[in-house]
Amino acid sequence: MTIAYGGDYNPEQWPEEVWAEDMRLMREAGVTMVSIGIFSWALLEPAEGVYDFTLLDKVLDLLQQNGIAADLATPTAAPPAWFFRAHPEALPVDRDGRRLSYGSRQTFCPSSPAYRTAALRIAGELARRYADHPAVAMWHIHNEYGCHNPACYCDESAEAFRVWLRAKYGDSLPALNDAWGTAFWSQWYYDWAEVLPPRATGAVPNPTHQLDWRRFCSDALLSLYKAERDVLREAAPAVPATTNFMVMFNFDALDYWRWAPELDVVSNDHYLRSTDPESEIDIAMSGDLVRSLAGGRPWLLMEHSTGAVNWQQVNRAKNPGELRRNALAHVAHGADGIAYFQWRAAKAGAEQWHSAMLPHAGTDSRIWQDVVQLGADLRALAEVRGSTGTASVAVVWDWNARWALELPSQPSEEVRYLDQVRSWYEPLWRSGIAVDFVRPDADLSPYRLVLAPSLYLVDEAGAANLSDFASSGGTLAVGFHSGAVDENCHVRLGGYPGAFREVLGVRTDELFPLLPGESLALSSGGGTASLWSERVALAGAEAITSYAEGPLTGIPAVTRNAYGEGTAWYMATRPDPATLAGLLDLIRREAGVKPVRVTPEGVEAALRRGADADYLFLIDHAGQGAEVPVVGADAVELLTGKPVSGGSVSVPPGGVAVVREPRRAG
């Protein structure tokens, strides 16, 4: 088995005579699997209960004849116009009370009974017809849940929200009132019918109300996924099912820790941000998080782009070599499949300017040459399939904490969850440190170092788990404004950082967030602090650096505390990047964490571990080329098939090397 390779295939957009050429070119490119039928509901069911599978029958047979597997989709992300004419109440309503119209995709209310009935009906028809088709290797359920309809504020959603709340709070309105703190602003509820979604209102809505709404909306979409999955399992229990997550910079609607256990195979879509000059860091961070969601197992990259996308303000093409580096970076961080949106670039429709494997220019194009080359690369890396990552550092990631931190009326709206996590992840990535992501309540025993860059919300179990990790000999580092509130968004009284005061050995009595552009000098190393400061008093910890100017002159900014058998660090501010990198380097060295490999600046190193070998990925993002030491006299560079001599491998400028090394112990 090789690493899967392909993309979304939409033959309904093209006349039938094009399909034969598609098959020939897919074979030339080395395509092994395509996703099909994602947006074909209107063709498969032209009227309610009337089905036409002629096109899908032909295409699945063609794929089977050409040795290409099908990731067969339920087309439920794009209900047809006839459905909305019959059920206009299924259209979503926004926060301001406007009912949206159909005419794009995902324009349905996740809580609509009519939508659920129709979606399960078409999923059942597909399952029964194609359960035993030899081309069908996997079910692709829906597409990018919540991408365009993460929430609906209609009356049906309101009723579903109340049902969800009654289950959560044991059918007790007093319990809900207590959790939501409704004594504030006379918000007490005396009847469940009074509870509504957090629709547009005159002032700031209740924070716990908003947080529970985010949780409900994620669960509402998850219930749709599970319902379709169960229909498919009944007809084809041996065929695995997936749906494509969106672990990327611009999406936070779903709690994927709750979703991931429900998938047979974890899949992800990832696109670059055109304004990010180092988007390779986002690729690595996303890949590490998706691998962690998959429980450390390999995962599938279900969508990314060969070049420009069509939905950003400026959609740039990829530079020479970038397509290859991007794809192999996903493999380096755990992907066992690489797929694109889409196979053939559309000539009409909303995504006509989105790049594809076969671009508008056809095969006489750089993209096509790169696509064919990547197919050969993935065949050369076949033995990597099934290998896993290895990390002794864990970064705590929690969607509830992210949602809560970014609610209105915080001490500073400049503090963003993703920015904080990436600012800590980036220096680790630059140093070649392997990273997993974990929930606050995860098993932390495999790790030497646990980082919690931004954990504003944490429950008692999660806080105790992190504290126990340090007490038992681990090294814990916590970022500012963490531990401040419990799972209900209630402030922990007695001083900040709330749940982590004891383990960190500090107590803060007042917060001093900094204005945009404002910075303060630190007492050591010439560094500066920005974004945040607070009046920290030592309660057992030692000061590593302090503020050297401003109203907090002499007050600790970074502290270290011996706790039990371990150590706990607190960063009560955001140090400048160089200072932060130096601090994290000090912390990880103290914890005994070593890099995958020491490389020149701009060369990424990642390691996958197989049953009999280690696979060292080296990716030159700087374009200078490099010589990197390798382990073992019998090491082989897989992309060229050449043995490695002299104890090091040459990474071409802007290129990639993948080295098979003897498997190390541990």
Side-chain angles (χ1 to χ4, degrees):
M1 294 290 289
T2 188
I3 292 172
Y5 185 43
D8 287 11
Y9 183 38
N10 298 291
E12 66 272 15
Q13 297 177 7
W14 302 93
E16 189 168 346
E17 55 266 24
V18 174
W19 303 351
E21 181 187 36
D22 286 334
M23 297 300 112
R24 177 180 65 80
L25 292 176
M26 285 182 189
R27 293 197 306 271
E28 181 179 330
V31 167
T32 63
M33 184 172 71
V34 295
S35 296
I36 188 165
I38 294 175
F39 298 118
S40 59
W41 193 345
L43 297 180
L44 299 179
E45 190 179 7
E48 185 169 359
V50 177
Y51 302 100
D52 183 355
F53 294 108
T54 306
L55 182 149
L56 199 50
D57 287 346
K58 290 180 179 179
V59 174
L60 286 174
D61 289 347
L62 269 177
L63 292 172
Q64 193 273 328
Q65 293 160 17
N66 285 274
I68 300 168
D71 175 32
L72 180 56
T74 61
T76 52
W82 61 254
F83 169 78
F84 291 115
R85 288 185 65 198
H87 300 285
E89 78 283 359
L91 288 164
V93 172
D94 69 13
R95 187 170 176 267
D96 293 318
R98 299 174 300 176
R99 190 172 293 277
L100 305 183
S101 178
Y102 59 90
S104 58
R105 64 180 187 178
Q106 289 187 334
T107 50
F108 63 86
C109 166
S111 298
S112 164
Y115 169 79
R116 179 182 288 256
T117 297
L120 297 186
R121 186 176 63 235
I122 186 68
E125 291 293 330
L126 281 166
R128 288 183 288 274
R129 188 175 187 89
Y130 297 114
D132 297 319
H133 196 289
V136 176
M138 187 164 59
W139 298 117
H140 184 305
I141 299 176
H142 199 79
N143 183 72
E144 297 181 336
Y145 275 101
C147 181
H148 302 288
N149 62 341
C152 172
Y153 296 81
C154 73
D155 290 341
E156 284 185 336
S157 293
E159 180 55 34
F161 184 38
R162 288 189 284 268
V163 170
W164 184 91
L165 290 169
R166 294 178 84 144
K168 177 176 182 179
Y169 292 107
D171 206 22
S172 169
L173 269 173
L176 178 139
N177 282 310
D178 180 64
W180 286 16
T182 56
F184 190 82
W185 277 3
S186 188
Q187 293 175 336
W188 194 273
Y189 296 105
Y190 291 96
D191 191 294
W192 285 104
E194 296 165 0
V195 181
L196 298 173
R199 294 167 175 162
T201 187
V204 179
N206 181 301
T208 319
H209 184 180
Q210 294 176 83
L211 181 60
D212 268 350
W213 174 250
R214 296 294 298 265
R215 292 162 170 160
F216 158 74
C217 290
S218 177
D219 282 357
L221 288 164
L222 178 56
S223 74
L224 291 175
Y225 167 80
K226 290 164 64 176
E228 287 196 36
R229 178 205 61 195
D230 291 348
V231 167
L232 298 170
R233 276 185 180 171
E234 183 177 356
V239 179
T242 191
T243 190
N244 39 345
F245 289 173
M246 290 183 290
V247 177
M248 53 188 288
F249 69 90
N250 64 341
F251 186 78
D252 72 344
L254 306 181
D255 181 352
Y256 286 136
W257 289 124
R258 288 179 61 82
W259 281 67
E262 305 294 342
L263 276 62
D264 297 319
V265 179
V266 170
S267 302
N268 191 51
D269 293 355
H270 185 274
Y271 291 97
L272 307 184
R273 175 166 40 185
S274 293
T275 56
D276 186 351
E278 293 183 299
S279 54
E280 59 268 20
I281 300 172
D282 194 56
I283 290 175
M285 193 168 86
S286 171
D288 286 343
L289 179 50
V290 178
R291 186 190 66 248
S292 302
L293 288 166
R297 303 188 310 275
W299 52 277
L300 298 181
L301 180 67
M302 194 62 74
E303 286 185 28
H304 68 315
S305 67
T306 58
V309 298
N310 70 302
W311 43 268
Q312 299 182 38
Q313 187 172 358
V314 176
N315 298 294
R316 72 168 186 87
K318 291 189 176 181
N319 295 322
E322 192 174 1
L323 180 154
R324 186 174 189 244
R325 290 193 302 274
N326 289 171
L328 295 182
H330 285 292
V331 177
H333 290 270
D336 268 4
I338 297 295
Y340 291 93
F341 181 83
Q342 57 182 323
W343 162 250
R344 184 183 283 269
K347 65 179 182 180
E351 294 182 289
Q352 66 192 101
W353 291 110
H354 195 293
S355 60
M357 300 175 76
L358 183 60
H360 293 140
T363 56
D364 184 16
S365 62
R366 193 193 74 214
I367 281 182
W368 177 251
Q369 294 166 9
D370 289 348
V371 162
V372 173
Q373 176 61 55
L374 180 59
D377 290 339
L378 296 177
R379 290 194 296 274
L381 297 179
E383 67 181 82
V384 174
R385 188 176 184 270
S387 60
T388 59
T390 174
S392 56
V393 177
V395 174
V396 180
W397 179 285
D398 185 65
W399 273 274
N400 282 268
R402 181 175 185 176
W403 295 335
L405 177 68
E406 297 181 2
L407 290 172
S409 299
Q410 282 285 332
S412 172
E413 293 187 358
E414 297 296 314
V415 179
R416 292 294 176 195
Y417 184 88
L418 187 60
D419 293 343
Q420 293 307 111
V421 176
R422 174 160 164 165
S423 72
W424 285 41
Y425 178 89
E426 181 174 329
L428 299 173
W429 176 86
R430 293 190 189 281
S431 299
I433 305 300
V435 168
D436 287 341
F437 286 85
V438 295
R439 299 165 55 124
D441 59 354
D443 176 12
L444 302 177
S445 60
Y447 305 105
R448 292 175 177 268
L449 172 62
V450 173
L451 307 175
S454 185
L455 199 59
Y456 168 69
L457 177 150
V458 63
D459 63 16
E460 293 298 330
N465 188 47
L466 294 169
S467 298
D468 290 347
F469 169 77
S471 178
S472 300
T475 299
L476 173 69
V478 177
F480 64 82
H481 207 30
S482 293
V485 301
D486 65 15
E487 66 273 20
N488 292 322
C489 264
H490 293 194
V491 174
R492 287 188 165 91
L493 304 180
Y496 320 116
F500 299 118
R501 287 196 306 267
E502 180 182 343
V503 65
L504 297 175
V506 299
R507 180 180 180 274
T508 293
D509 73 329
E510 194 164 4
L511 307 175
F512 291 80
L514 302 179
L515 297 173
E518 184 180 7
S519 64
L520 300 173
L522 295 173
S523 62
S524 59
T528 60
S530 64
L531 189 67
W532 189 272
S533 64
E534 53 188 67
R535 187 162 54 216
V536 172
L538 300 178
E542 60 176 316
I544 301 302
T545 188
S546 302
Y547 302 106
E549 61 179 332
L552 300 183
T553 297
I555 296 295
V558 178
T559 64
R560 180 186 183 277
N561 187 45
Y563 186 74
E565 300 297 318
T567 307
W569 293 71
Y570 184 48
M571 294 198 194
T573 188
R574 183 179 70 180
D576 66 84
T579 301
L580 177 59
L583 286 165
L584 289 173
D585 189 63
L586 172 65
I587 292 168
R588 66 93 176 165
R589 288 176 185 273
E590 184 180 281
V593 173
K594 297 180 179 180
V596 167
R597 200 65 42 94
V598 176
T599 62
E601 185 176 353
V603 177
E604 177 181 1
L607 190 73
R608 290 183 61 163
R609 174 151 293 168
D612 304 311
D614 287 344
Y615 300 100
L616 175 66
F617 285 73
L618 300 165
I619 306 171
D620 177 27
H621 300 289
Q624 303 300 313
E627 288 287 325
V628 179
V630 299
V631 176
D634 56 349
V636 174
E637 201 290 305
L638 296 178
L639 294 174
T640 61
K642 296 179 180 179
V644 177
S645 60
S648 67
V649 65
S650 295
V651 186
V656 181
V658 182
V659 182
R660 182 209 300 132
E661 298 179 332
R663 193 184 194 283
R664 289 176 288 177

